[in-house]
Amino acid sequence: MNLIKDSWNSLDGAIFQNYLKSLARPEKVEWTRKILNTKMPLLAIMSPEIKKISKEISKGNFMSFLDLWLWEYYENTAILGTLISKIKDFEVYKKYLVKYAELVDNWASCDVLTFNVNSKNEAKFFNLAKNLIKSEKPFVRRIGIDIFFKFIEKDNFLNEIFDILNDFEAEKEYYVNMCIAWLVAECFVKRREETLEFLKAGKLNSFAINRAIQKCRDSFRVSKEDKEMLLSFKRN
């Protein structure tokens, strides 16, 4: 199928969906579902193929493809998330991201997104993240936390990130807590001293703290001495 188009219409969208179905691997669907834990229909198309499709669409008028909002299969979300990430104008990006975030139901659809944070839009991205984490929907919150990874090495945002994480003391959602754990572990690798102070005074729930410590202990970027020291922060 020709994926590089000057404009996409509803007929193109129907043809595209049939094309996706032609790439399905039915024998891999249940295995893939266990990994993604999604309720969406699955085609179990291989990730390199999804990346290839997204890359081809992006060479044409991918905004008109986005406007079709094809959302039948999990694979559609992976393609849309990849294409949304290519939008350079922050306000346009935000419009599509917020709609996308409200629809996702799994971690992979969150983590396929990338965030082009720079000196001109960093304040806008940070405020977007703060708004997303207020959502009642766990995967909207996860996307907000994902954005914070872009701010770990920015001195004027790190303390606020730690203050915000303290508000997740009562967080119960597994996929939100796992993302928080990744974030804390990454903070420890890149901002060791500040993160130690956060761990000493933080109010994160035991699950997130313990998972963050385990991720640090599994990392080749953390010294053996620090891996042992971090055990003192584990909670029962």
Side-chain angles (χ1 to χ4, degrees):
M1 179 181 179
N2 175 29
L3 300 173
I4 306 173
K5 294 182 179 295
D6 293 330
S7 180
W8 287 79
N9 57 41
S10 57
L11 177 59
D12 295 323
I15 294 171
F16 177 78
Q17 292 299 83
N18 286 330
Y19 169 65
L20 280 188
K21 285 188 280 187
S22 74
L23 302 174
R25 299 184 299 159
E27 72 282 3
K28 294 291 186 180
V29 166
E30 289 310 311
W31 178 81
T32 305
R33 188 175 303 284
K34 289 178 181 178
I35 294 174
L36 299 177
N37 195 22
T38 178
K39 295 179 181 178
M40 295 188 71
L42 280 163
L43 298 173
I45 300 173
M46 296 181 67
S47 294
E49 190 66 37
I50 292 295
K51 291 179 181 178
K52 180 180 176 181
I53 290 169
S54 302
K55 184 176 180 180
E56 286 298 293
I57 295 172
S58 72
K59 293 177 181 178
N61 182 0
F62 71 88
M63 296 299 297
S64 65
F65 177 88
L66 286 175
D67 287 334
L68 295 176
W69 280 105
L70 302 175
W71 201 271
E72 185 177 355
Y73 304 106
Y74 157 75
E75 286 75 10
N76 288 127
T77 76
I79 294 167
L80 289 178
T82 300
L83 294 175
I84 289 170
S85 299
K86 294 182 179 296
I87 300 174
K88 295 181 179 180
D89 182 281
F90 175 80
E91 296 302 329
V92 177
Y93 174 90
K94 177 182 175 181
K95 181 181 74 171
Y96 284 87
L97 177 72
V98 169
K99 182 174 180 178
Y100 178 91
E102 289 290 325
L103 295 172
V104 298
D105 80 336
N106 65 87
W107 64 268
S109 295
C110 299
D111 294 3
V112 73
L113 294 162
T114 57
F115 313 102
N116 184 27
V117 177
N118 56 54
S119 59
K120 294 181 179 180
N121 64 26
E122 62 181 17
K124 293 180 179 179
F125 259 107
F126 199 77
N127 287 331
L128 171 61
K130 289 198 293 184
N131 286 329
L132 291 173
I133 62 172
K134 296 175 183 177
S135 174
E136 294 181 357
K137 297 183 177 182
F139 293 105
V140 179
R141 298 201 297 278
R142 182 177 174 113
I143 290 173
I145 295 164
D146 277 336
I147 295 174
F148 287 144
F149 280 81
K150 303 294 290 188
F151 291 87
I152 293 173
E153 296 183 86
K154 296 180 181 292
D155 292 339
N156 51 329
F157 290 99
L158 185 61
N159 285 336
E160 187 170 357
I161 289 175
F162 288 143
D163 288 342
I164 290 169
L165 290 181
N166 281 333
D167 292 335
F168 283 87
E169 183 178 8
E171 180 62 58
K172 300 298 183 184
E173 292 289 341
Y174 174 83
Y175 289 105
V176 178
N177 277 324
M178 287 299 291
C179 193
I180 291 171
W182 274 117
L183 178 61
V184 173
E186 192 67 12
C187 284
F188 183 82
V189 168
K190 295 180 177 178
R191 306 297 295 265
R192 179 184 181 278
E193 298 306 318
E194 298 95 325
T195 308
L196 278 176
E197 291 304 311
F198 167 72
L199 291 173
K200 291 175 183 177
K203 300 177 182 178
L204 266 182
N205 61 75
S206 297
F207 179 89
I209 287 289
N210 290 343
R211 285 303 179 102
I213 291 169
Q214 187 58 53
K215 290 181 186 300
C216 288
R217 287 176 55 78
D218 291 341
S219 175
F220 65 89
R221 296 180 294 168
V222 177
S223 70
K224 181 179 179 180
E225 293 75 18
D226 278 346
K227 289 178 181 181
E228 292 302 310
M229 176 271 294
L230 284 169
L231 287 175
S232 64
F233 293 98
K234 286 196 70 173
R235 298 178 185 172
N236 296 323

